[in-house]
């Protein structure tokens, strides 16, 4: 009974992470469309949320890979997963506060690795898996997207560069609606499944499922709903950074970034290769800017984003480790998650209450 | 440790991304170009040339739509 209570706390925390993943990554799908006025903001986030929901049902390949290969499943307990999720949520909220587009997936992996290290020692972590699934993709994703988008914008300018700006702008705005929709769909196929993977890991750790079982339908539906809701709320601070602070974007650049970003994410998703959508679209936006003029990219902003990427794994790991240490200090695998989640809920209520008293909205915009 | 990395998979992701990303940008640019030029020629009274660009735009759009359908199909196949 107590074990099941902890499991449900873990599932609720995983869905909370999924929600933060949604609002943190809204920018990936909509920032370029909003920035170039291809779509009004509310329509853009509504469409992105719907397509993220649909996309979550289309593929389970990434869900199958995220839960295995990075930590030893036999050593993982629900409190380890819980502490890891707290680490990921904390990093997502911190980077959202500073308007920095960092990878929610890497935060999730970092959080779980940190808590597993404290709980079970180095043997709980598969370092070769960490290299293969986090470090190598983190190096490849932005560079690949940068190159593809850079080449794409050069080709676009070669083809339409001498045309009158009006029809070209209208054409690429229409193209952005299509490419943005495709990006949202591919984002859903990639990111919702990471939460499915972590819930699956908790269910295996609690003995409800075995590694060879399929992901249950209720896990798919709840993860899809949480990421869609988060996407709809929208992380406007990050949308501003990606839409206008990295480069001042025209519709052709927005289309190039989104279309090539979708191509990279879909290729990776098809291979069951967990690539960060944030790294891909950020690299693509920089590539679309640099392809036109290298100095068009605000490299200082790009540098801040790169620092956030480098810090994601260790920072989320540190919070995950600290959370697990607190859980362990309470002396029980059951009491720890209950007390920590109650304290965090109380802190969240105080923060929301203060926002309401200050007359501010409860959206992620503020 | 580097032996654990599936370089073949990564290589496939790289070349498929390059090919599909560049193809999408090229084909849609042709849609925009053909549409703009067809309108210009139609307004100038050059119907035959406008028709030619119209055909080019339609073909390019069909290829672009097929690419999107292929992308969605790839997602559904997993």
């Amino acid at each position: 009974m107590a074990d099941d209570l902890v499991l449900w706390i873990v599932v609720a925390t995983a869905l909370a992470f999924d929600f933060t993943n949604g609002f943190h990554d809204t920018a990936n799908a909509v920032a370029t469309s909003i920035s170039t006025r291809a779509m009004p903001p509310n329509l853009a986030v509504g469409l992105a949320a719907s397509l993220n929901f649909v996309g979550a049902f289309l593929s389970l390949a990434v869900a199958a890979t995220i839960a295995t290969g990075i930590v030893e499943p036999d050593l993982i307990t629900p409190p380890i997963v819980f502490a890891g999720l707290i680490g990921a949520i904390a990093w997502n909220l911190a980077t959202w506060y500073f308007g920095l587009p960092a990878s929610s997936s890497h935060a999730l992996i970092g959080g779980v690795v940190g808590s597993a290290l404290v709980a079970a020692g180095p043997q709980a972590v598969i370092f070769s898996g960490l290299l293969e699934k986090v470090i190598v993709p983190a190096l490849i994703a932005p560079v690949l997207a940068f190159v593809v988008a850079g080449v794409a914008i050069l080709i676009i300018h070669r083809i339409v560069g001498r045309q009158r700006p009006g029809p070209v702008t209208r054409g690429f705005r229409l193209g952005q609606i299509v490419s943005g929709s495709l990006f949202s769909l591919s984002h859903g196929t990639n990111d919702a499944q990471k939460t499915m993977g972590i819930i699956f890991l908790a269910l295996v750790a609690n003995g409800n499922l075995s590694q060879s079982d399929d992901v249950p339908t209720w896990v798919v539906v709840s993860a899809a709903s949480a990421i869609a809701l988060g996407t709809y709320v929208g992380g406007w601070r990050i949308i501003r950074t990606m839409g206008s602070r990295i480069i001042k974007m025209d519709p052709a650049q927005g289309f190039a970034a989104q279309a090539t970003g979708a191509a990279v994410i879909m290729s990776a998703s098809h291979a069951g290769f967990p690539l960060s959508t944030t790294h891909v679209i950020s690299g693509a936006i920089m590539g679309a800017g640099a392809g036109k003029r290298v100095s068009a990219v605000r490299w200082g902003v790009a540098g801040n984003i790169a620092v956030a990427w480098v810090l994601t794994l260790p920072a989320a790991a540190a919070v995950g480790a600290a959370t697990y240490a607190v859980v362990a200090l309470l002396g029980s695998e059951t009491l720890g998650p209950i007390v920590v989640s109650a304290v965090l809920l109380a802190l969240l209520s105080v923060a929301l209450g203060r926002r309401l008293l200050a007359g501010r909205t409860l959206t992620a915009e503020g | 440790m580097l032996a654990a990395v599936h370089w073949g998979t990564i290589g496939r992701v790289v070349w498929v991304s390059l090919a599909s990303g560049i193809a999408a940008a090229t084909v849609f640019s042709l849609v925009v170009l053909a549409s703009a030029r067809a309108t210009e020629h139609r307004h100038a009274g050059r119907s035959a040339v406008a028709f030619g660009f119209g055909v080019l735009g339609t073909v390019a759009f069909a290829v672009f739509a097929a690419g999107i359908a292929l992308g969605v199909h790839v997602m559904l196949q997993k």
Side-chain angles (χ1 to χ4, degrees):
Chain A
M1 179 68 184
D3 285 351
D4 282 347
L5 180 60
V6 174
L7 174 68
W8 289 114
I9 288 174
V10 170
V11 170
T13 312
L15 293 175
F17 163 77
D18 203 22
F19 178 85
T20 65
N21 190 163
F23 88 69
H24 199 276
D25 287 7
T26 308
N28 296 350
V30 305
T32 55
S33 300
I34 292 172
S35 166
T36 61
R37 298 179 184 174
M39 276 191 280
N42 286 339
L43 178 64
V45 293
L47 184 63
S50 306
L51 290 168
N52 265 281
F53 184 83
V54 173
F57 289 86
L58 296 183
S59 163
L60 298 178
V62 180
T65 59
I66 196 82
T68 56
I70 292 173
V71 288
E72 290 288 355
D74 297 341
L75 297 175
I76 299 303
T77 60
I80 292 176
V81 177
F82 169 77
L85 285 164
I86 296 297
I89 292 170
W91 185 247
N92 267 355
L93 291 176
T95 47
W96 159 73
Y97 184 79
F98 290 106
L100 292 170
S103 169
S104 301
S105 324
H106 290 187
L108 175 60
I109 291 167
V112 172
V113 165
S115 61
L117 272 173
V118 170
Q123 70 270 22
V125 180
I126 305 167
F127 289 98
S128 58
L130 204 57
L131 179 73
E132 186 198 355
K133 293 177 191 294
V134 180
I135 297 168
V136 170
L139 294 173
I140 289 173
V143 175
L144 176 62
F146 182 93
V147 170
V148 180
V151 173
I153 197 68
L154 286 174
I155 291 171
I156 287 171
H157 282 156
R158 191 88 177 165
I159 295 173
V160 300
R162 291 181 182 173
Q163 303 306 307
R164 287 189 300 117
V168 171
T169 298
R170 280 194 297 276
F172 281 113
R173 277 183 180 153
L174 285 173
Q176 274 194 278
I177 295 172
V178 177
S179 61
S181 300
L182 204 59
F183 195 90
S184 296
L185 195 66
S186 59
H187 182 265
T189 67
N190 231 27
D191 276 38
Q193 289 150 36
K194 286 161 189 161
T195 299
M196 294 177 209
I198 215 77
I199 294 176
F200 184 74
L201 185 67
L203 289 165
V204 171
N206 201 51
N208 300 64
L209 293 174
S210 72
Q211 277 288 333
S212 56
D213 286 336
D214 289 334
V215 179
T217 305
W218 69 265
V219 175
V220 179
V221 173
S222 55
S225 304
I227 201 166
L229 189 62
T231 304
Y232 186 72
V233 169
W236 296 98
R237 290 170 188 238
I238 302 174
I239 290 173
R240 273 194 287 275
T241 299
M242 294 185 79
S244 58
R245 289 185 62 216
I246 299 174
I247 62 170
K248 184 160 171 33
M249 214 176 312
D250 63 37
Q253 288 171 308
F255 173 79
Q258 279 181 327
T260 56
V264 172
I265 290 292
M266 282 175 143
S267 305
S269 187
H270 179 54
F273 189 66
L275 218 54
S276 162
T277 51
T278 307
H279 291 178
V280 169
I281 194 66
S282 302
I285 289 171
M286 290 174 205
K292 193 173 179 184
R293 191 164 41 87
V294 175
S295 62
V297 180
R298 294 190 182 103
W299 293 106
V301 176
N304 289 342
I305 292 169
V307 169
W309 291 354
V310 172
L311 289 177
T312 296
L313 201 70
V319 177
T323 305
Y324 189 83
V326 171
V327 167
L329 268 178
L330 291 167
S332 158
E333 289 216 331
T334 307
L335 185 64
I338 294 170
V339 172
V340 171
S341 54
V343 169
L344 291 175
L345 275 175
L347 287 173
L348 192 63
S349 303
V350 170
L352 291 177
R354 289 179 66 172
R355 279 182 80 90
L356 279 175
L357 285 174
R360 296 165 78 178
T361 63
L362 293 179
T363 68
E365 185 168 4
Chain B
M1 197 182 274
L2 283 175
V5 179
H6 293 126
W7 295 106
T9 305
I10 293 169
R12 202 166 68 244
V13 169
V14 168
W15 81 257
V16 173
S17 301
L18 273 166
S20 53
I22 291 170
T26 304
V27 170
F28 194 77
S29 296
L30 288 175
V31 174
V32 174
L33 172 76
S35 164
R37 297 297 295 273
T39 306
E40 275 177 24
H41 286 294
R42 195 165 50 248
H43 288 161
R46 293 188 288 268
S47 310
V49 185
F51 178 76
F53 276 111
V55 170
L56 172 66
T58 305
V59 171
F61 184 78
V63 173
F64 183 71
I68 289 168
L70 178 66
V72 173
H73 176 71
V74 163
M75 282 192 269
L76 290 170
Q77 285 300 299
K78 285 187 298 176

mmCIF file of all heavy atoms in Angstrom, chain A residues 117-149:
data_model
loop_
_atom_site.group_PDB
_atom_site.id
_atom_site.type_symbol
_atom_site.label_atom_id
_atom_site.label_comp_id
_atom_site.label_asym_id
_atom_site.label_seq_id
_atom_site.Cartn_x
_atom_site.Cartn_y
_atom_site.Cartn_z
ATOM 1 N N LEU A 117 23.405 7.858 -8.444
ATOM 2 C CA LEU A 117 24.787 7.842 -7.945
ATOM 3 C C LEU A 117 24.822 7.885 -6.421
ATOM 4 O O LEU A 117 25.571 7.143 -5.785
ATOM 5 C CB LEU A 117 25.568 9.042 -8.504
ATOM 6 C CG LEU A 117 26.260 8.851 -9.855
ATOM 7 C CD1 LEU A 117 26.826 10.169 -10.348
ATOM 8 C CD2 LEU A 117 27.375 7.810 -9.762
ATOM 9 N N VAL A 118 23.988 8.764 -5.820
ATOM 10 C CA VAL A 118 23.958 8.882 -4.357
ATOM 11 C C VAL A 118 23.348 7.623 -3.742
ATOM 12 O O VAL A 118 23.821 7.117 -2.721
ATOM 13 C CB VAL A 118 23.157 10.135 -3.932
ATOM 14 C CG1 VAL A 118 22.903 10.147 -2.428
ATOM 15 C CG2 VAL A 118 23.914 11.383 -4.336
ATOM 16 N N ALA A 119 22.314 7.094 -4.391
ATOM 17 C CA ALA A 119 21.581 5.962 -3.800
ATOM 18 C C ALA A 119 22.334 4.648 -3.919
ATOM 19 O O ALA A 119 22.373 3.856 -2.971
ATOM 20 C CB ALA A 119 20.214 5.835 -4.478
ATOM 21 N N ALA A 120 22.917 4.395 -5.074
ATOM 22 C CA ALA A 120 23.471 3.056 -5.308
ATOM 23 C C ALA A 120 24.923 3.065 -5.766
ATOM 24 O O ALA A 120 25.485 2.003 -6.055
ATOM 25 C CB ALA A 120 22.609 2.342 -6.355
ATOM 26 N N GLY A 121 25.536 4.234 -5.833
ATOM 27 C CA GLY A 121 26.944 4.300 -6.223
ATOM 28 C C GLY A 121 27.139 4.253 -7.727
ATOM 29 O O GLY A 121 26.169 4.135 -8.488
ATOM 30 N N PRO A 122 28.407 4.326 -8.152
ATOM 31 C CA PRO A 122 28.707 4.415 -9.594
ATOM 32 C C PRO A 122 28.201 3.215 -10.403
ATOM 33 O O PRO A 122 27.975 3.346 -11.605
ATOM 34 C CB PRO A 122 30.236 4.473 -9.637
ATOM 35 C CG PRO A 122 30.650 4.893 -8.279
ATOM 36 C CD PRO A 122 29.615 4.408 -7.331
ATOM 37 N N GLN A 123 28.025 2.050 -9.739
ATOM 38 C CA GLN A 123 27.586 0.874 -10.512
ATOM 39 C C GLN A 123 26.150 1.016 -11.019
ATOM 40 O O GLN A 123 25.726 0.240 -11.893
ATOM 41 C CB GLN A 123 27.735 -0.426 -9.694
ATOM 42 C CG GLN A 123 26.779 -0.597 -8.546
ATOM 43 C CD GLN A 123 27.351 -0.016 -7.245
ATOM 44 O OE1 GLN A 123 28.233 0.847 -7.266
ATOM 45 N NE2 GLN A 123 26.859 -0.500 -6.116
ATOM 46 N N ALA A 124 25.405 2.015 -10.498
ATOM 47 C CA ALA A 124 24.024 2.217 -10.962
ATOM 48 C C ALA A 124 23.975 2.941 -12.308
ATOM 49 O O ALA A 124 22.937 2.956 -12.966
ATOM 50 C CB ALA A 124 23.243 3.013 -9.922
ATOM 51 N N VAL A 125 25.088 3.562 -12.685
ATOM 52 C CA VAL A 125 25.095 4.375 -13.905
ATOM 53 C C VAL A 125 25.899 3.670 -14.991
ATOM 54 O O VAL A 125 27.004 3.178 -14.741
ATOM 55 C CB VAL A 125 25.703 5.776 -13.625
ATOM 56 C CG1 VAL A 125 25.711 6.624 -14.891
ATOM 57 C CG2 VAL A 125 24.927 6.477 -12.522
ATOM 58 N N ILE A 126 25.333 3.603 -16.180
ATOM 59 C CA ILE A 126 26.033 3.019 -17.327
ATOM 60 C C ILE A 126 26.678 4.188 -18.088
ATOM 61 O O ILE A 126 26.006 4.889 -18.854
ATOM 62 C CB ILE A 126 25.062 2.235 -18.231
ATOM 63 C CG1 ILE A 126 24.323 1.180 -17.408
ATOM 64 C CG2 ILE A 126 25.798 1.584 -19.397
ATOM 65 C CD1 ILE A 126 23.124 0.575 -18.116
ATOM 66 N N PHE A 127 27.969 4.403 -17.837
ATOM 67 C CA PHE A 127 28.613 5.606 -18.379
ATOM 68 C C PHE A 127 28.735 5.560 -19.900
ATOM 69 O O PHE A 127 28.699 6.600 -20.553
ATOM 70 C CB PHE A 127 29.970 5.815 -17.693
ATOM 71 C CG PHE A 127 29.814 6.262 -16.259
ATOM 72 C CD1 PHE A 127 29.901 5.347 -15.220
ATOM 73 C CD2 PHE A 127 29.538 7.584 -15.955
ATOM 74 C CE1 PHE A 127 29.725 5.754 -13.903
ATOM 75 C CE2 PHE A 127 29.354 7.999 -14.639
ATOM 76 C CZ PHE A 127 29.453 7.073 -13.608
ATOM 77 N N SER A 128 28.858 4.352 -20.444
ATOM 78 C CA SER A 128 28.915 4.270 -21.914
ATOM 79 C C SER A 128 27.562 4.685 -22.511
ATOM 80 O O SER A 128 27.505 5.316 -23.575
ATOM 81 C CB SER A 128 29.288 2.859 -22.356
ATOM 82 O OG SER A 128 28.350 1.932 -21.854
ATOM 83 N N GLY A 129 26.458 4.331 -21.803
ATOM 84 C CA GLY A 129 25.120 4.740 -22.252
ATOM 85 C C GLY A 129 24.955 6.250 -22.184
ATOM 86 O O GLY A 129 24.344 6.866 -23.061
ATOM 87 N N LEU A 130 25.527 6.840 -21.124
ATOM 88 C CA LEU A 130 25.483 8.300 -20.964
ATOM 89 C C LEU A 130 26.208 8.978 -22.133
ATOM 90 O O LEU A 130 25.726 9.973 -22.691
ATOM 91 C CB LEU A 130 26.162 8.669 -19.635
ATOM 92 C CG LEU A 130 25.786 9.982 -18.974
ATOM 93 C CD1 LEU A 130 24.301 10.069 -18.722
ATOM 94 C CD2 LEU A 130 26.557 10.149 -17.682
ATOM 95 N N LEU A 131 27.332 8.404 -22.506
ATOM 96 C CA LEU A 131 28.089 8.939 -23.642
ATOM 97 C C LEU A 131 27.273 8.829 -24.927
ATOM 98 O O LEU A 131 27.162 9.790 -25.699
ATOM 99 C CB LEU A 131 29.410 8.166 -23.788
ATOM 100 C CG LEU A 131 30.303 8.588 -24.960
ATOM 101 C CD1 LEU A 131 30.951 9.932 -24.692
ATOM 102 C CD2 LEU A 131 31.373 7.535 -25.232
ATOM 103 N N GLU A 132 26.681 7.643 -25.130
ATOM 104 C CA GLU A 132 25.973 7.383 -26.381
ATOM 105 C C GLU A 132 24.666 8.152 -26.494
ATOM 106 O O GLU A 132 24.332 8.678 -27.553
ATOM 107 C CB GLU A 132 25.685 5.879 -26.510
ATOM 108 C CG GLU A 132 25.075 5.515 -27.847
ATOM 109 C CD GLU A 132 24.410 4.165 -27.830
ATOM 110 O OE1 GLU A 132 24.489 3.462 -26.810
ATOM 111 O OE2 GLU A 132 23.775 3.828 -28.844
ATOM 112 N N LYS A 133 23.919 8.238 -25.384
ATOM 113 C CA LYS A 133 22.570 8.804 -25.459
ATOM 114 C C LYS A 133 22.489 10.280 -25.079
ATOM 115 O O LYS A 133 21.468 10.910 -25.326
ATOM 116 C CB LYS A 133 21.630 7.999 -24.567
ATOM 117 C CG LYS A 133 21.394 6.581 -25.064
ATOM 118 C CD LYS A 133 20.517 5.822 -24.100
ATOM 119 C CE LYS A 133 20.487 4.345 -24.418
ATOM 120 N NZ LYS A 133 19.841 4.036 -25.690
ATOM 121 N N VAL A 134 23.526 10.808 -24.432
ATOM 122 C CA VAL A 134 23.454 12.208 -24.017
ATOM 123 C C VAL A 134 24.586 13.039 -24.624
ATOM 124 O O VAL A 134 24.336 14.016 -25.327
ATOM 125 C CB VAL A 134 23.497 12.331 -22.468
ATOM 126 C CG1 VAL A 134 23.426 13.795 -22.051
ATOM 127 C CG2 VAL A 134 22.356 11.555 -21.843
ATOM 128 N N ILE A 135 25.822 12.627 -24.355
ATOM 129 C CA ILE A 135 26.947 13.493 -24.710
ATOM 130 C C ILE A 135 27.154 13.559 -26.232
ATOM 131 O O ILE A 135 27.244 14.660 -26.793
ATOM 132 C CB ILE A 135 28.227 13.034 -23.976
ATOM 133 C CG1 ILE A 135 27.997 13.195 -22.463
ATOM 134 C CG2 ILE A 135 29.441 13.846 -24.416
ATOM 135 C CD1 ILE A 135 29.026 12.549 -21.585
ATOM 136 N N VAL A 136 27.182 12.416 -26.889
ATOM 137 C CA VAL A 136 27.373 12.430 -28.353
ATOM 138 C C VAL A 136 26.197 13.134 -29.054
ATOM 139 O O VAL A 136 26.425 14.025 -29.895
ATOM 140 C CB VAL A 136 27.593 10.992 -28.889
ATOM 141 C CG1 VAL A 136 27.549 10.964 -30.407
ATOM 142 C CG2 VAL A 136 28.939 10.452 -28.399
ATOM 143 N N PRO A 137 24.925 12.806 -28.721
ATOM 144 C CA PRO A 137 23.815 13.542 -29.356
ATOM 145 C C PRO A 137 23.856 15.044 -29.071
ATOM 146 O O PRO A 137 23.516 15.844 -29.941
ATOM 147 C CB PRO A 137 22.559 12.921 -28.736
ATOM 148 C CG PRO A 137 22.983 11.561 -28.337
ATOM 149 C CD PRO A 137 24.410 11.680 -27.906
ATOM 150 N N ALA A 138 24.311 15.427 -27.846
ATOM 151 C CA ALA A 138 24.365 16.860 -27.515
ATOM 152 C C ALA A 138 25.385 17.585 -28.379
ATOM 153 O O ALA A 138 25.239 18.778 -28.662
ATOM 154 C CB ALA A 138 24.709 17.040 -26.039
ATOM 155 N N LEU A 139 26.444 16.867 -28.781
ATOM 156 C CA LEU A 139 27.440 17.484 -29.652
ATOM 157 C C LEU A 139 26.959 17.504 -31.106
ATOM 158 O O LEU A 139 27.186 18.470 -31.839
ATOM 159 C CB LEU A 139 28.771 16.712 -29.561
ATOM 160 C CG LEU A 139 29.479 16.759 -28.205
ATOM 161 C CD1 LEU A 139 30.682 15.826 -28.190
ATOM 162 C CD2 LEU A 139 29.930 18.186 -27.886
ATOM 163 N N ILE A 140 26.282 16.434 -31.506
ATOM 164 C CA ILE A 140 25.878 16.303 -32.914
ATOM 165 C C ILE A 140 24.667 17.171 -33.261
ATOM 166 O O ILE A 140 24.657 17.840 -34.304
ATOM 167 C CB ILE A 140 25.578 14.819 -33.231
ATOM 168 C CG1 ILE A 140 26.903 14.039 -33.254
ATOM 169 C CG2 ILE A 140 24.857 14.665 -34.576
ATOM 170 C CD1 ILE A 140 26.725 12.552 -33.395
ATOM 171 N N ALA A 141 23.637 17.172 -32.383
ATOM 172 C CA ALA A 141 22.353 17.804 -32.726
ATOM 173 C C ALA A 141 22.481 19.271 -33.162
ATOM 174 O O ALA A 141 22.036 19.623 -34.265
ATOM 175 C CB ALA A 141 21.375 17.660 -31.562
ATOM 176 N N PRO A 142 23.081 20.142 -32.332
ATOM 177 C CA PRO A 142 23.109 21.554 -32.749
ATOM 178 C C PRO A 142 23.990 21.799 -33.970
ATOM 179 O O PRO A 142 23.660 22.626 -34.817
ATOM 180 C CB PRO A 142 23.658 22.294 -31.519
ATOM 181 C CG PRO A 142 24.286 21.265 -30.663
ATOM 182 C CD PRO A 142 23.658 19.945 -30.996
ATOM 183 N N VAL A 143 25.099 21.054 -34.065
ATOM 184 C CA VAL A 143 26.011 21.245 -35.199
ATOM 185 C C VAL A 143 25.337 20.798 -36.499
ATOM 186 O O VAL A 143 25.368 21.497 -37.518
ATOM 187 C CB VAL A 143 27.334 20.465 -34.971
ATOM 188 C CG1 VAL A 143 28.235 20.578 -36.205
ATOM 189 C CG2 VAL A 143 28.051 20.982 -33.736
ATOM 190 N N LEU A 144 24.699 19.618 -36.433
ATOM 191 C CA LEU A 144 24.005 19.095 -37.618
ATOM 192 C C LEU A 144 22.900 20.050 -38.059
ATOM 193 O O LEU A 144 22.789 20.406 -39.244
ATOM 194 C CB LEU A 144 23.420 17.714 -37.301
ATOM 195 C CG LEU A 144 22.587 17.050 -38.387
ATOM 196 C CD1 LEU A 144 23.411 16.800 -39.641
ATOM 197 C CD2 LEU A 144 22.003 15.721 -37.884
ATOM 198 N N ALA A 145 22.073 20.498 -37.100
ATOM 199 C CA ALA A 145 20.969 21.404 -37.428
ATOM 200 C C ALA A 145 21.502 22.732 -37.964
ATOM 201 O O ALA A 145 20.938 23.308 -38.905
ATOM 202 C CB ALA A 145 20.100 21.645 -36.197
ATOM 203 N N PHE A 146 22.613 23.225 -37.365
ATOM 204 C CA PHE A 146 23.237 24.480 -37.819
ATOM 205 C C PHE A 146 23.649 24.366 -39.289
ATOM 206 O O PHE A 146 23.345 25.241 -40.104
ATOM 207 C CB PHE A 146 24.462 24.765 -36.928
ATOM 208 C CG PHE A 146 25.181 26.052 -37.239
ATOM 209 C CD1 PHE A 146 24.868 27.221 -36.563
ATOM 210 C CD2 PHE A 146 26.180 26.103 -38.199
ATOM 211 C CE1 PHE A 146 25.531 28.411 -36.837
ATOM 212 C CE2 PHE A 146 26.845 27.276 -38.485
ATOM 213 C CZ PHE A 146 26.522 28.443 -37.801
ATOM 214 N N VAL A 147 24.315 23.255 -39.615
ATOM 215 C CA VAL A 147 24.821 23.072 -40.988
ATOM 216 C C VAL A 147 23.658 22.933 -41.971
ATOM 217 O O VAL A 147 23.624 23.596 -43.020
ATOM 218 C CB VAL A 147 25.748 21.828 -41.056
ATOM 219 C CG1 VAL A 147 26.084 21.492 -42.505
ATOM 220 C CG2 VAL A 147 27.017 22.077 -40.257
ATOM 221 N N VAL A 148 22.677 22.088 -41.634
ATOM 222 C CA VAL A 148 21.549 21.853 -42.558
ATOM 223 C C VAL A 148 20.776 23.159 -42.788
ATOM 224 O O VAL A 148 20.458 23.512 -43.931
ATOM 225 C CB VAL A 148 20.603 20.748 -42.028
ATOM 226 C CG1 VAL A 148 19.453 20.514 -43.001
ATOM 227 C CG2 VAL A 148 21.354 19.449 -41.802
ATOM 228 N N ALA A 149 20.495 23.891 -41.696
ATOM 229 C CA ALA A 149 19.731 25.143 -41.840
ATOM 230 C C ALA A 149 20.554 26.196 -42.589
ATOM 231 O O ALA A 149 20.002 26.960 -43.394
ATOM 232 C CB ALA A 149 19.323 25.670 -40.466
#
